[in-house]
Amino acid sequence: MATVSARQVNIAIIGAGGVGQCFLFQLEQLAARRPSPKLVLTYICTSKKAIYSTDHVAISLGNVSSALAASQQAPLALPKLVDFLGSSGSKTVLVDNTSSQDVANSYPLFLSRGISVVTPNKKAFSGSYKLWQDIFAAAGQSGAKVYHESSVGAGLPVISTLNDLVDTGDEVTKIEGVFSGTMSFLFNSFAPTSGSGGKWSAEVKKAKELGYTEPDPRDDLNGLDVARKLTILARLAGLPVESPTSFPVQSLIPKELESVASGDEFLEKLPAYDAQMEQTKAEAENAGKVVRFVGSIDVATKQVRVGLEQFDLSHPIAALKGSDNIISFYTKRYGSNPLIIQGAGAGGDVTAMGVTSDLLKVLSQIA
Amino acid sequence: MATVSARQVNIAIIGAGGVGQCFLFQLEQLAARRPSPKLVLTYICTSKKAIYSTDHVAISLGNVSSALAASQQAPLALPKLVDFLGSSGSKTVLVDNTSSQDVANSYPLFLSRGISVVTPNKKAFSGSYKLWQDIFAAAGQSGAKVYHESSVGAGLPVISTLNDLVDTGDEVTKIEGVFSGTMSFLFNSFAPTSGSGGKWSAEVKKAKELGYTEPDPRDDLNGLDVARKLTILARLAGLPVESPTSFPVQSLIPKELESVASGDEFLEKLPAYDAQMEQTKAEAENAGKVVRFVGSIDVATKQVRVGLEQFDLSHPIAALKGSDNIISFYTKRYGSNPLIIQGAGAGGDVTAMGVTSDLLKVLSQIA
């Protein structure tokens, strides 16, 4: 067992993909800048490989990627990882940089052993309501902390702001916004506030080529990603939403293309369905508006919905640029003009920033 | 001396004006909602009266205002207050709901005795650079916390967001925005993006009647309030700005009216100077733009400035409504599209909300 030190905090990381790499860079810089508490990486794994030693020796942050590539160790099964981290004698933070449901499902186990969790993984907080309750109950009992700022809007201060509103006793009446960088880019190009925009299928193809969509664009167009984010915000606002499929979510995938085999085939066949989206755009234009893909939560009526809506050209949601997100909080204190947060809601650097800032919050409380 | 308890935190409050009353209401609700740590009000004062007892008995939160009105006790001198609070044996948070420079000047003394400070008071953080350094040095040495979210943009998450950007290693390149609710209201009415707007002097008079200005509107029009906020943000972004008068600040008070005796006389004489502002508005219109009163910080060139600037009609600063603030953070990670925070930046409830949320941050770390 490693030497116990109140001013040392062990870090364990699961996932070393896009966000994971950015986080490792930020963690290395952080550890260099802040001598106390001493941050010690004692475990890191991908889905295939891992680095750790039974006596919790510090892993050098300088060359983790190449060390991982060269490693012969397999990842520990999650219950074994809980035991491993729990036996170090030091305060420990688990950083989950995956989007794995399995890892998410084991948060209550980590938390109940006093291991804090920070993560951009939406799955834990938008899965079953029981998992949500188990996570916060475990944290409440052990005193371990759990933060997930980047699960909505990446590094934008969305979750911390909503928590501050609720925790200080404000009444959130409505939350509305554009929660998907992909959808933002698609509609800002397809139905701009000035000019005519491109054909729908062409914009989807362009977004895919620019790397703004998932490998299969249907994973963006089905609305589930936005529904997961809405589930998280609704629960934080006090609504016990059962799951991201327990409220109306409009899919932009034509029924006939739901079951085609691949994303490429989907893109090939999509132009035949452009007329539907053109009509939706024309209807908005005839009303002097633009169409956008938004999520909204009406707290009083407990209605959560995700789908297309029309907005005046002067509305902040219509004026959004590029792939930015925008989130408006309507509350009793803020009255008719909402508190608005806007900016990039996706990307490795800004997502990792949310994770790093969550880690700093945990350190300020446990170290 | 009161009984020592790790799960009790004493609260001392200076100031019971507009923000102070709203804070007391939020504190009462908070204490009722959260049993732990137990929040115990042991001192409260206005400039004339105080309530406290030498054995630190809890003051009932239910009827503080009437109790203050009826009190025969005078406030303790600040050094005596430090001794009083430092002798309780409990963790203590000082809530400064004044805009007093004297109270601000004594923060280092409070902090060095381990007493944490939360406040909307701009004076401490926008006064001399030496005071700024003394405050954070005292906090660093004792471990006491100091938070001042509401010193810029009231309850909007401006300071926490800037700190998160800096602390996670982002490079803030530029900060720009409308930092005064009064200036926002004046220019949104005087030079709207559609329609012609009223005469400048008439808008100033209207703003005063609606309670949007200080008793003497010159205290808003001189730009010092905005300069103080810019000083705070520039320092947090890493620029050692000496004072709010050490960079260019454009005053909207005509030279000839700087020394007239009263705000009323100023308002009477202001119409004679409308031509100047009309010309400023016309110049912007001729360029297809609108004029706004903004503050900006260019971190690379270390330039801070406050004054009139022209904006395209589609710019978020031009599209602002009512008396809202807007703050744009341009950073390396966020690239060309800034992270934007927007909403009410003044008012008792939202200012107190920032103070309450700061208090919660302190409690999470010390209790």
Side-chain angles (χ1 to χ4, degrees):
Chain A
M1 190 181 285
T3 312
V4 176
S5 160
R7 303 302 291 160
Q8 170 176 328
V9 172
N10 289 354
I11 310 284
I13 303 176
I14 306 182
V19 171
Q21 292 293 335
C22 292
F23 174 75
L24 277 167
F25 178 75
Q26 292 180 21
L27 179 64
E28 189 184 356
Q29 292 203 311
L30 188 71
R33 260 198 326 269
R34 294 165 68 112
S36 177
K38 191 175 179 210
L39 300 177
V40 177
L41 181 65
T42 59
Y43 181 89
I44 182 166
C45 74
T46 63
S47 57
K48 301 258 160 48
K49 301 196 167 203
I51 307 176
Y52 63 95
S53 58
T54 46
D55 52 354
H56 303 275
V57 168
I59 301 162
S60 165
L61 281 163
N63 52 358
V64 174
S65 296
S66 49
L68 259 177
S71 171
Q72 303 294 321
Q73 289 177 292
L76 289 168
L78 291 164
K80 286 207 184 288
L81 178 58
V82 174
D83 287 339
F84 171 72
L85 299 178
S87 70
S88 76
S90 288
K91 301 270 178 102
T92 302
V93 181
L94 173 72
V95 183
D96 172 18
N97 283 331
T98 73
S99 57
S100 155
Q101 184 72 56
D102 281 349
V103 179
N105 288 343
S106 60
Y107 290 175
L109 197 56
F110 284 98
L111 291 162
S112 66
R113 287 288 292 270
I115 299 158
S116 294
V117 175
V118 300
T119 184
N121 185 349
K122 286 186 277 290
K123 298 279 169 64
F125 310 97
S126 61
S128 76
Y129 191 62
K130 176 163 189 312
L131 177 57
W132 169 277
Q133 289 175 305
D134 288 349
I135 286 169
F136 291 100
Q141 275 159 26
S142 74
K145 310 300 171 191
V146 53
Y147 284 93
H148 54 104
E149 183 64 74
S150 286
S151 63
V152 179
L156 296 176
V158 175
I159 294 200
S160 55
T161 298
L162 178 53
N163 277 333
D164 280 350
L165 289 166
V166 172
D167 291 347
T168 62
D170 201 355
E171 283 173 37
V172 178
T173 53
K174 184 180 160 188
I175 303 171
E176 180 185 58
V178 172
F179 294 91
S180 154
T182 313
M183 291 294 198
S184 181
F185 177 83
L186 285 174
F187 282 90
N188 299 342
S189 314
F190 171 65
T193 49
S194 62
S196 60
K199 289 222 176 289
W200 176 249
S201 58
E203 296 298 347
V204 175
K205 194 155 175 268
K206 191 168 79 185
K208 156 108 205 234
E209 284 162 7
L210 289 169
Y212 285 152
T213 71
E214 297 292 323
D216 185 336
R218 287 176 295 182
D219 290 338
D220 295 298
L221 297 176
N222 64 13
L224 182 60
D225 172 71
V226 178
R228 285 195 177 279
K229 293 167 182 166
L230 270 278
T231 301
I232 296 171
L233 297 183
R235 287 172 177 174
L236 290 173
L239 298 182
V241 171
E242 183 46 45
S243 83
T245 56
S246 64
F247 51 85
V249 178
Q250 183 177 4
S251 167
L252 299 186
I253 307 171
K255 276 251 171 301
E256 299 83 348
L257 301 185
E258 275 175 359
S259 53
V260 300
S262 71
D264 287 342
E265 189 184 343
F266 168 74
L267 280 176
E268 259 169 50
K269 295 189 169 164
L270 190 58
Y273 301 87
D274 275 344
Q276 275 175 256
M277 288 298 288
E278 280 301 324
Q279 193 189 335
T280 304
K281 175 156 82 171
E283 279 169 11
E285 278 175 5
N286 291 341
K289 303 188 178 193
V290 290
V291 64
R292 293 289 182 267
F293 193 86
V294 299
S296 65
I297 299 162
D298 187 314
V299 179
T301 64
K302 302 185 180 177
Q303 296 212 307
V304 184
R305 60 182 306 280
V306 172
L308 295 171
E309 281 186 37
Q310 299 182 353
F311 290 90
D312 286 331
L313 300 182
S314 65
H315 195 286
I317 284 182
L320 212 57
K321 289 197 172 61
S323 58
D324 277 5
N325 287 13
I326 184 169
I327 297 95
S328 300
F329 295 103
Y330 293 84
T331 81
K332 192 176 167 197
R333 283 186 200 139
Y334 277 92
S336 54
N337 283 8
L339 189 171
I340 299 176
I341 315 272
Q342 182 180 331
D349 272 340
V350 294
T351 304
M353 171 199 152
V355 180
T356 304
S357 108
D358 282 349
L359 175 61
L360 286 169
K361 286 188 182 122
V362 173
L363 294 177
S364 75
Q365 294 173 63
I366 69 170
Chain B
M1 190 178 287
T3 311
V4 177
S5 159
R7 304 301 293 161
Q8 171 175 329
V9 173
N10 289 353
I11 310 283
I13 302 175
I14 306 182
V19 172
Q21 292 293 335
C22 291
F23 173 75
L24 277 166
F25 178 73
Q26 292 180 21
L27 180 64
E28 189 184 354
Q29 292 203 312
L30 188 70
R33 256 196 329 267
R34 294 166 67 112
S36 176
K38 192 177 177 203
L39 300 177
V40 176
L41 181 67
T42 58
Y43 181 89
I44 182 166
C45 74
T46 63
S47 56
K48 301 259 160 51
K49 301 197 167 198
I51 307 176
Y52 64 95
S53 58
T54 47
D55 50 356
H56 303 273
V57 166
I59 300 162
S60 165
L61 282 162
N63 51 0
V64 174
S65 296
S66 49
L68 260 177
S71 171
Q72 303 294 321
Q73 289 177 292
L76 289 168
L78 290 164
K80 285 207 185 287
L81 178 57
V82 173
D83 288 338
F84 171 72
L85 299 179
S87 71
S88 75
S90 288
K91 302 272 177 96
T92 302
V93 181
L94 173 73
V95 182
D96 172 18
N97 283 329
T98 74
S99 57
S100 156
Q101 185 71 55
D102 281 349
V103 179
N105 289 343
S106 59
Y107 290 174
L109 198 55
F110 283 99
L111 290 162
S112 65
R113 286 288 293 269
I115 298 158
S116 295
V117 175
V118 299
T119 183
N121 185 350
K122 287 186 276 290
K123 297 280 168 64
F125 310 97
S126 62
S128 75
Y129 192 62
K130 179 168 187 308
L131 177 57
W132 170 277
Q133 290 175 305
D134 289 350
I135 286 170
F136 291 100
Q141 276 159 25
S142 74
K145 310 300 170 189
V146 53
Y147 284 93
H148 55 103
E149 182 64 76
S150 286
S151 63
V152 180
L156 296 176
V158 176
I159 296 205
S160 55
T161 298
L162 178 53
N163 277 332
D164 281 349
L165 290 166
V166 171
D167 291 346
T168 62
D170 201 356
E171 282 173 37
V172 178
T173 53
K174 184 179 160 191
I175 303 171
E176 179 185 60
V178 173
F179 294 90
S180 154
T182 313
M183 290 293 198
S184 182
F185 177 83
L186 285 174
F187 282 89
N188 298 343
S189 314
F190 170 63
T193 49
S194 62
S196 60
K199 287 219 176 293
W200 175 250
S201 59
E203 296 297 347
V204 175
K205 192 154 175 270
K206 190 168 79 183
K208 156 108 204 231
E209 284 162 5
L210 290 169
Y212 286 151
T213 71
E214 297 293 322
D216 185 336
R218 288 176 296 183
D219 291 336
D220 296 296
L221 296 175
N222 64 13
L224 182 60
D225 172 70
V226 177
R228 284 194 178 278
K229 293 169 183 166
L230 270 280
T231 300
I232 297 171
L233 297 183
R235 287 172 177 174
L236 291 174
L239 299 182
V241 171
E242 183 47 44
S243 81
T245 56
S246 63
F247 52 85
V249 178
Q250 183 177 5
S251 168
L252 299 187
I253 307 171
K255 277 250 169 303
E256 299 83 347
L257 301 186
E258 276 175 357
S259 54
V260 299
S262 70
D264 287 341
E265 190 184 343
F266 168 75
L267 279 176
E268 259 168 52
K269 293 185 171 165
L270 189 59
Y273 300 86
D274 276 341
Q276 275 176 258
M277 287 299 286
E278 280 300 324
Q279 193 189 333
T280 304
K281 174 156 82 172
E283 279 169 10
E285 279 176 3
N286 291 341
K289 303 186 177 195
V290 290
V291 64
R292 293 290 182 267
F293 192 86
V294 299
S296 64
I297 299 162
D298 187 314
V299 178
T301 64
K302 302 185 180 178
Q303 295 212 307
V304 184
R305 61 182 305 281
V306 171
L308 295 172
E309 281 185 39
Q310 299 181 354
F311 290 90
D312 286 333
L313 300 183
S314 65
H315 195 287
I317 284 182
L320 212 57
K321 289 197 171 60
S323 59
D324 277 4
N325 286 13
I326 184 169
I327 296 96
S328 300
F329 295 103
Y330 293 82
T331 81
K332 191 176 168 200
R333 285 187 198 138
Y334 277 92
S336 54
N337 283 8
L339 189 171
I340 299 176
I341 314 270
Q342 182 180 331
D349 272 337
V350 294
T351 304
M353 170 198 151
V355 180
T356 305
S357 108
D358 282 349
L359 175 61
L360 287 170
K361 286 188 182 121
V362 173
L363 295 177
S364 75
Q365 293 173 64
I366 68 171

